[in-house]
Structure formats: C-alpha cells, structure tokens
C-alpha cells in the first residue's frame, strides 16, 4: 500500500509505502506508484494504544442499563431504569455510585425491583449488588453485596451479549490499533473471545505484564507481596494501586523482590510526593487515568480525604520527575475515548495538566514499553492513525473527529 502526501513527524508532503509484511518499507517524497490513499496533508501517527482497559466489561456495556450519576437521579430514577425490562428477565446495570441513591444491598434493591433478577455493578467495578430474585436464581444467599466476585458470578449468572464488533469499530474510529486488557483474572478462553477485534491485543496475565490486584481490606504484607512478585518473574508485574497504602506496600515489595524492566503501577490514584523519587529509582512505569479528576471531580471533592486530594492521579509531576507515564481509559469505568482523556489531561486545574503533545504521547507507547512513544520509520510495523488535519491542528482540538482512518499492519480497520 502507498500512502501519499502525509505529514510525518512534522514533515509535510511525505509518502509512505507499506510492504506485504505489514511494515513500512519506504518513506520519502514523490515515491513512484499510484497512491492507494491520498493523505491530503493530514498527519500520520502511530496507532493509539489503550494501555489499561477491560474489554469484555466494555463490550457488555451495550447490553446493560446505565445507572451512573450522569444517567439517573435518586431512587425513583433508579427504579425506572431498572424496571425497563420484561418481568422475569435478568437486568444488568452498570456505573452505579452512591451519589445516585445511597448505599445498595439486597433489601434496597428489592424495594425498587422485586419481580426480576437484578444485578448492579458499582462504578469502581469492584462490587456487585444483587436483589433477592438474582440471589435465588444464582443459588446464593447473603445481603446481596458481592466484593470482587466477578470470577464466581461468571459461573452463576446468564452471560450477556458482548458487542465486540461494535467495540472494535468504535475504537478504530478513535484511531486505536491496540489494547492492553487489564482484568485481574482473565476468563477462560478470553483471548479467543477477543480475537474478533481488529486491534492488536495484550492480555495481562496471559501476556506480560502479570496483573496483581490489591485491596485495602485484603492487603498482603510487603514480604508476601514480594513473594508474589518473585513468582511472576522473569515477567514484569502490573500492580493495581488506588490508595496510598497500596502504593507503599507495592514499593516495598518490588524493592525486596528486585524490579525488572516493564514493572508497572496501575492507576497510581494516590501518589504522595515523597513516593515519586522512590518510583523513579525503581524504574516503575505509572499507567494512570488523568481524566478521572475531571470526570469525577465533584465526587472526589466529597469523598476523598483532604490529605489525598493533592496527590490524585499525578501526571505532569511524575513526568517532570523523570517517571515514565502512560495512560489507559480504564473503560468501561471511565470513558473509552482516548481523545477525551487527552483533553482532560490538558484541562486539569490541579497542577497536573500536561501539554497537548504530552497528552497524545500517553497513548503512543508500545504495550511492553507504554511510556516510550513509537516512531514511524522504515521497518516499523504499520499500525497507523491517519488524521484529516496536520498535527498542529489536531493538537489544538484533541478530538476523535480529526481521525480519518486506522490501520493494523497496513490493513484498514476503520468502518
């Protein structure tokens, strides 16, 4: 394939030839041959890579009722949303937060909906709430609050339709050519399930890095976590850290086990400034969600301890300190649009904003080196994002509307 007249790394009027092996074979001006694609002066970038996403949960979102703060208000709104389906049929609801209608459990859900099985997922993805009909149908008992029980629930509740085709097409329109799936316990056959996606795929646990999930209520001692890290070697680890104490235990454990290239902190939701030099010394990459303080600013102001508010989802301060930083959407628990993440990273008002170019770079890294932006050179894999406009204009708006096409190994994947 020959793409003519694109802007490549700031150089206008470049032509790019892609060989049968899916790699860039030639870059220049006035390359011989008829153009398969007229770039019309638009920027040609490496395809975006979402470094932290939950693909089956995102695909299931299309078959779920949305009950987040932006979707419903109050108990009456929640009741109306949950009662939308026919009696007796399972209802799967997602995105719930206490600001909608307070704390949920079996009895609260029964008062809202009793004639059908209902399961509601908390916005964090960590908790499911089931009403009595759902508990009985699944052969369960208790108060209807299931913490980190996704693996168990898969065996007990009816599967939902996964719109993976729609997911892949939507991501391609964003210019996304690769995903890193970050589920803590990949479901059996997950890679086969996700193989219908046109994007490249890295599955934590099956591929490197190995995901390690931490929760404060079950937090291991540093020595025990170090043993888990050593057991994963020689593969790097990606440790889920959303509190300061989780980060502290992680740093102590990696120090004891010995870091390897590719070790990651996932989220880094709370990183005290005193921990930043330690993260840098260990060579850890932080894969963060710089959009969460913008998307969830009101909730964070009410719920996050005042001592932690200055340390939420660091981005600029990490980069300035020499810590490698990349981003993932964490969809469906955040937006699935990387360009919206970039805009939020630029618009932050807490001292952690970054430049538009730096925001774009958060999604240009390779799966195993997420903080090192890929370059388009002769010999590189032709995973590409072609824009309608030059890079300078795209950086001004940071919008998926500027994406014209996406290619994996030189093959177009955009609808």
């Amino acid at each position: 394939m020959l793409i003519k007249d694109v802007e490549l790394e700031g150089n206008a009027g470049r032509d790019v030839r892609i060989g049968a092996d899916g790699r860039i074979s030639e870059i220049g001006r006035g390359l011989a041959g008829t153009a398969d694609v007229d770039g019309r002066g638009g920027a040609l970038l490496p395809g975006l890579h979402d470094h932290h996403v939950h693909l089956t949960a995102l695909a299931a979102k299309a078959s779920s009722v949305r009950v987040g703060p932006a979707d419903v208000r109050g108990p009456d709104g929640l009741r109306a949303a949950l009662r939308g389906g026919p009696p007796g049929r399972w209802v799967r609801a997602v995105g719930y937060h206490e600001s909608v209608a307070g704390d949920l459990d079996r009895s609260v859900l029964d008062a809202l909906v009793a004639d059908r099985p209902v399961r509601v997922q908390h916005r964090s993805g960590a908790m499911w709430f089931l009403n009595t009909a759902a508990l009985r149908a699944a052969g369960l008992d208790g108060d209807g609050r299931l913490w980190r029980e996704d693996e168990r629930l898969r065996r007990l509740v009816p599967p939902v339709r996964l719109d993976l085709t729609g997911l892949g097409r939507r991501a391609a329109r964003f210019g996304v050519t690769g995903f890193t799936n970050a589920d803590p316990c990949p479901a059996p056959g997950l890679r086969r399930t996700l193989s219908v996606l046109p994007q490249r795929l890295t599955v934590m646990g099956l591929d490197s890095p190995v995901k390690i999930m931490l929760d404060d209520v079950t937090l291991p001692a540093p020595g025990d976590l170090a043993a888990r890290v050593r057991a994963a070697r020689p593969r790097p680890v990606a440790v889920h850290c959303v509190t300061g104490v989780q980060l502290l235990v992680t740093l102590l454990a990696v120090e004891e086990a010995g870091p390897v290239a590719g070790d990651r902190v996932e989220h880094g939701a709370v990183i005290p400034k005193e921990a930043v030099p330690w993260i840098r010394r260990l060579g850890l990459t932080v894969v963060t969600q710089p959009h969460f303080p913008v998307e969830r600013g009101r909730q964070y102001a009410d719920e996050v301890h005042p001592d932690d508010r200055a340390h939420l989802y660091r981005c600029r301060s990490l980069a300035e300190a020499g810590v490698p930083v990349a981003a993932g959407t964490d969809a469906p628990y955040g937006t699935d649009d990387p360009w919206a993440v970039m805009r939020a990273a630029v618009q932050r008002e807490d001292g952690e904003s970054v430049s538009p170019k730096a925001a774009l770079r958060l999604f240009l890294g390779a799966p195993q080196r997420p903080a090192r932006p890929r370059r388009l050179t002769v010999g590189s894999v032709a995973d590409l994002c072609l824009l309608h406009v030059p890079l300078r204009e795209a950086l001004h708006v940071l919008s998926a509307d500027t994406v014209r096409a996406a290619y994996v190994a030189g093959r177009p994947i955009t609808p």
Side-chain angles (χ1 to χ4, degrees), residues 384-401:
L384 312 170
C385 173
L386 176 62
L387 304 184
H388 288 288
V389 297
L391 182 59
R392 182 175 180 179
E393 185 175 338
L395 292 176
H396 180 69
V397 295
L398 289 176
S399 169
D401 291 341

Side-chain angles (χ1 to χ4, degrees), residues 324-399:
V325 184
T329 62
D330 201 24
Y333 312 115
T335 177
D336 62 339
D337 179 356
W339 298 91
V341 176
M342 296 178 214
R343 290 196 301 274
V346 170
Q347 295 166 0
R348 287 179 61 168
E349 298 178 348
D350 54 3
E352 292 295 334
S353 65
V354 297
S355 70
K357 179 176 278 190
L360 175 62
R361 287 165 61 96
L362 295 172
F363 289 96
L364 294 186
Q368 307 308 322
R369 292 184 173 180
R372 181 178 295 183
R374 290 161 289 144
R375 297 186 60 200
L376 299 182
T377 60
V378 172
S380 64
V381 175
D383 293 352
L384 312 170
C385 173
L386 176 62
L387 304 184
H388 288 288
V389 297
L391 182 59
R392 182 175 180 179
E393 185 175 338
L395 292 176
H396 180 69
V397 295
L398 289 176
S399 169

Side-chain angles (χ1 to χ4, degrees), residues 296-331:
R296 305 176 178 179
R298 184 172 299 175
Q299 284 80 28
Y300 286 170
D302 293 335
E303 300 169 8
V304 174
H305 193 282
D307 292 345
D308 288 338
R309 290 176 193 159
H311 312 304
L312 291 175
Y313 292 96
R314 290 185 181 273
C315 193
R316 178 178 180 175
S317 59
L318 291 176
E320 289 179 344
V323 174
V325 184
T329 62
D330 201 24

Side-chain angles (χ1 to χ4, degrees), residues 183-220:
D183 296 350
C185 298
L190 178 62
R191 194 191 301 280
R192 182 175 64 254
T193 299
L194 298 177
S195 64
V196 300
L197 293 170
Q199 287 83 6
R200 293 189 189 273
L201 182 65
T202 298
V203 179
M204 286 188 183
L206 305 181
D207 306 309
S208 292
V210 175
K211 177 76 175 283
I212 296 179
M213 193 75 191
L214 298 182
D215 288 305
D216 283 359
V217 294
T218 58
L219 194 63

Side-chain angles (χ1 to χ4, degrees), residues 85-372:
R89 184 173 296 178
W90 276 83
V91 175
R92 182 185 193 271
V94 296
Y96 185 78
H97 184 265
E98 293 80 6
S99 60
V100 172
D103 292 331
L104 296 184
D105 61 15
R106 173 181 191 159
S107 62
V108 172
L109 284 176
D110 284 349
L112 297 173
V113 182
D115 65 347
R116 70 204 68 194
V118 172
R119 58 180 174 128
V120 179
Q121 188 182 44
H122 190 268
R123 182 180 67 183
S124 66
M127 179 83 81
W128 283 97
F129 309 99
L130 277 65
N131 70 352
T132 296
L135 289 168
R136 288 174 177 166
L140 298 171
D141 202 352
D143 66 359
R145 297 165 62 90
L146 281 71
W147 173 264
R148 300 288 185 202
E149 293 276 13
D150 290 69
E151 192 171 5
R152 183 184 181 196
L153 279 175
R154 286 191 205 111
R155 304 190 301 265
L156 300 175
V157 302
V160 296
R161 177 178 174 270
L162 300 180
D163 185 13
L164 290 165
T165 299
L167 188 162
R169 288 175 177 170
R170 177 174 166 85
R173 288 194 290 268
F174 294 148
V176 173
T177 59
F179 295 111
T180 294
N181 190 77
D183 296 350
C185 298
L190 178 62
R191 194 191 301 280
R192 182 175 64 254
T193 299
L194 298 177
S195 64
V196 300
L197 293 170
Q199 287 83 6
R200 293 189 189 273
L201 182 65
T202 298
V203 179
M204 286 188 183
L206 305 181
D207 306 309
S208 292
V210 175
K211 177 76 175 283
I212 296 179
M213 193 75 191
L214 298 182
D215 288 305
D216 283 359
V217 294
T218 58
L219 194 63
D224 294 335
L225 182 56
R228 292 176 62 184
V229 172
R230 283 193 294 267
R233 299 303 192 217
R235 293 194 291 172
V237 295
V239 187
H240 168 102
C241 293
V242 295
T243 65
V245 67
Q246 291 172 19
L247 178 67
L248 175 60
V249 170
T250 296
L251 298 181
L252 289 168
V254 173
E255 182 99 71
E256 180 178 335
V260 302
D263 282 343
R264 296 164 45 156
V265 169
E266 298 300 304
H267 306 300
V270 178
I271 300 181
K273 63 180 180 181
E274 296 82 7
V276 174
W278 195 357
I279 295 172
R280 179 185 178 185
R281 179 168 57 81
L282 292 175
L284 304 179
T285 296
V286 176
V287 178
T288 188
Q289 287 73 51
H291 53 306
F292 279 178
V294 177
E295 284 186 2
R296 305 176 178 179
R298 184 172 299 175
Q299 284 80 28
Y300 286 170
D302 293 335
E303 300 169 8
V304 174
H305 193 282
D307 292 345
D308 288 338
R309 290 176 193 159
H311 312 304
L312 291 175
Y313 292 96
R314 290 185 181 273
C315 193
R316 178 178 180 175
S317 59
L318 291 176
E320 289 179 344
V323 174
V325 184
T329 62
D330 201 24
Y333 312 115
T335 177
D336 62 339
D337 179 356
W339 298 91
V341 176
M342 296 178 214
R343 290 196 301 274
V346 170
Q347 295 166 0
R348 287 179 61 168
E349 298 178 348
D350 54 3
E352 292 295 334
S353 65
V354 297
S355 70
K357 179 176 278 190
L360 175 62
R361 287 165 61 96
L362 295 172
F363 289 96
L364 294 186
Q368 307 308 322
R369 292 184 173 180
R372 181 178 295 183

